[in-house]
Amino acid sequence: MAASHPSDLAPGSHDPALALALAYAPRDARPVFQDLFALDRRLADAVRQASEPIIAQLKLAWWRDRFAQSPAEWPKGEPLLARLAAWDADISRLGGLVDGWEQIAAAEELTRDVAIAFAGRRARSWAVAASALHVAEADAVEAAGMRWALADLAQHCASEAESALVRAVAADLGHASAESLSLPRNLRPFAILGVLGGRALARERPMLSKGGDFLAAVRTGMLGR
């Protein structure tokens, strides 16, 4: 797959958008966001670090098998699994995030369909996290997730042609928008990332690459819009 991803998408990593978003997470909700982003990073690492697609697929299969099991059957000694098991949600749905990363690993080239499917599966993992926080606004959460996922993919593509393809997909789907999305306060990190993603797609540049992006994120973090 031509698109590449950063080695870290976890809290405290070098992704400034995630770090900024997490700064506005309510204390009692923060662990769910941390777990979600850590899982996404682990799957990204499985793809990025593999020398062959089959190796990435084998690593991803381990995670898929876990989400097909009851948490009671999960192996001991994996801290991330232990944290995910504590979610008050149907965490089997996180298997869709694994499927999204496998599509990236297996694809010979980045196509419109691959970009849409990958971003959609990442966005739906956000809805699982929202349900763990007892928020049922899946449509708004997934819309924010799509903006961020498409923007994140666009800025990590291997070529400008692929980045342009992703931005075109976002525009066609209506996600290249700097308008804020209304989300409850305990989902403020998702609102921030949705705003940053939409601005990046609309302006055809990476997230947080201009001072106005930071101000928009802070405003969203404080006011929710």
Side-chain angles (χ1 to χ4, degrees), residues 143 147 150 167-178 181 198 201:
R147 290 184 184 185
L150 287 166
R167 290 194 294 265
V169 166
D172 290 346
L173 297 178
H175 293 302
S177 171
L181 295 165
L201 293 165

Side-chain angles (χ1 to χ4, degrees), residues 50-192:
S51 57
E52 297 290 341
I54 187 62
I55 296 175
Q57 290 171 312
L58 288 171
K59 291 181 178 180
L60 293 172
W62 186 88
W63 287 98
R64 182 183 298 101
D65 290 346
R66 301 292 75 75
F67 293 122
Q69 294 175 318
S70 163
E73 301 177 86
W74 285 356
K76 307 300 181 184
E78 168 51 70
L80 180 53
L81 281 181
R83 296 197 302 271
L84 291 170
W87 282 23
D88 184 16
D90 179 7
I91 51 178
S92 68
R93 293 166 55 200
L94 292 174
L97 182 59
V98 182
D99 293 339
W101 278 106
E102 183 169 19
Q103 281 186 292
I104 288 291
E108 294 182 0
E109 63 176 331
L110 182 63
T111 65
R112 175 185 175 88
D113 288 346
V114 169
I116 292 173
F118 175 59
R121 286 185 166 94
R122 287 180 105 185
R124 286 190 287 277
S125 74
W126 283 25
V128 181
S131 69
L133 296 171
H134 309 111
V135 178
E137 299 180 33
D139 289 346
V141 170
E142 289 186 25
M146 284 293 290
R147 290 184 184 185
W148 171 79
L150 287 166
D152 183 64
L153 179 59
Q155 72 185 41
H156 291 110
C157 285
S159 70
E160 178 52 36
E162 288 187 343
S163 295
L165 181 150
V166 176
R167 290 194 294 265
V169 166
D172 290 346
L173 297 178
H175 293 302
S177 171
E179 295 182 3
S180 61
L181 295 165
S182 179
L183 289 172
R185 185 178 181 279
N186 62 341
L187 297 185
R188 198 61 54 84
F190 287 163
I192 292 170

